[in-house]
Amino acid sequence: MQETSTKPYLLRALHEWCTDNGYTPHIVVQVDENTQVPRAYIRDGQITLNIGSLATHNLRIDNDWVSFQARFNGVTEDLWVPVAVVTAIYARETGAGMGFEVQEYETGKSGAAAEPGTADPAPPAADKPEDDPSPAGGKRRSHLSVVK
């Protein structure tokens, strides 16, 4: 049996720590083809998302996915982020948090979180628009460091 990653547990713990201290938790995500986020907000292949209670609805951080609803420009969006591509979680007000490496993962593995009302464990695929603002190959370095 393969050992469970510590990453989702650390995400949940740091989210709770931010909330308990009155801070706003944000995650940084390295966007891939399985990440369902508003494409217009992706910069350099990454997106930073506010996952605080005032910015999200139905937030769920399980061992495979971070999922929630949020409003972008007044439009409610369903967001699905594989835990494996979360590169950091931090408090907006202080910058305190933790960085992570992007991990290999399979979207169809058993035990993955299913979207409510579906049998498919992976979120619906989001079509990448032709005018995607993320430049090819451009990667920005995070100011956070990886802690092992």
Side-chain angles (χ1 to χ4, degrees):
M1 180 178 228
Q2 186 176 0
E3 186 176 82
T4 306
S5 170
T6 58
K7 190 179 205 178
Y9 297 91
L10 294 169
L11 288 173
R12 288 188 290 266
L14 286 169
H15 179 274
E16 183 178 348
W17 176 82
C18 285
T19 303
D20 288 351
N21 286 284
Y23 299 141
T24 310
H26 282 64
I27 57 173
V28 180
V29 176
Q30 185 68 43
V31 177
D32 69 5
E33 65 276 358
N34 297 305
T35 308
Q36 182 178 318
V37 296
R39 298 292 183 195
Y41 297 91
I42 299 170
R43 297 289 179 258
D44 298 326
Q46 294 186 335
I47 188 168
T48 300
L49 299 167
N50 178 344
I51 59 168
S53 59
L54 295 177
T56 63
H57 179 66
N58 291 332
L59 175 67
R60 181 173 175 183
I61 304 172
D62 63 31
N63 289 350
D64 298 305
W65 296 95
V66 176
S67 61
F68 58 96
Q69 290 181 326
R71 293 178 64 88
F72 291 83
N73 237 5
V75 177
T76 300
E77 303 267 356
D78 290 320
L79 285 81
W80 286 84
V81 175
V83 166
V85 298
V86 174
T87 61
I89 183 169
Y90 66 95
R92 180 185 66 200
E93 294 81 1
T94 65
M98 182 178 285
F100 305 99
E101 293 180 12
V102 173
Q103 299 169 313
E104 294 291 321
Y105 69 100
E106 296 177 29
T107 59
K109 75 178 191 179
S110 62
E115 183 176 4
T118 68
D120 184 2
D127 293 331
K128 188 172 186 172
E130 296 297 320
D131 59 352
D132 186 349
S134 59
K139 292 188 178 178
R140 185 176 50 147
R141 274 205 116 41
S142 173
H143 67 280
L144 301 173
S145 61
V146 177
V147 177
K148 292 186 180 186

